[in-house]
Amino acid sequence: MMFWNGHGVSGWGWFAMSAGMILFWVLVITAAVLLFRALDRPRERPRAHEGPRTPEGSSAERLLAERFARGEIDEEEYRGRLAVLHSSGPSAGS
């Protein structure tokens, strides 16, 4: 029976040590989960080439640029259609 009371730790001491150990492991596991989530998050790059246009205009310009890049339309047609897009503005569809 020397091991139970020989160190001067009462029942509350054992309770405090047990609660402290549980709290320690909860904090360690929480920190690990938060770190894993922060490192696993996909990074978003800002789009510097897009100006403050409406989403419809920028997607139409992007489609037009993709068609030009694939060679489906030539430069003259690309510039003509781009001028039409810029001149129509966001209220043309209304």
Side-chain angles (χ1 to χ4, degrees):
M1 297 305 282
M2 186 174 128
F3 292 109
W4 292 105
N5 291 322
H7 298 292
V9 179
S10 67
W12 286 108
W14 285 106
F15 174 75
M17 284 193 303
S18 300
M21 184 57 71
I22 291 171
L23 181 64
F24 170 77
W25 283 112
V26 165
L27 289 175
V28 168
I29 292 170
T30 302
V33 168
L34 291 176
L35 180 66
F36 178 74
R37 285 186 179 179
L39 294 176
D40 195 39
R41 183 175 298 149
R43 304 191 191 290
E44 294 184 20
R45 292 179 291 203
R47 298 178 182 171
H49 65 280
E50 292 183 358
R53 296 190 180 111
T54 61
E56 296 84 16
S58 63
S59 64
E61 288 177 17
R62 189 176 18 219
L63 282 172
L64 190 60
E66 288 174 5
R67 289 187 62 198
F68 179 62
R70 285 192 298 262
E72 294 177 7
I73 57 175
D74 60 355
E75 184 178 357
E76 183 179 332
E77 187 175 358
Y78 170 74
R79 295 205 183 275
R81 291 182 183 219
L82 191 62
V84 169
L85 281 175
H86 287 180
S87 66
S88 64
S91 62
S94 303

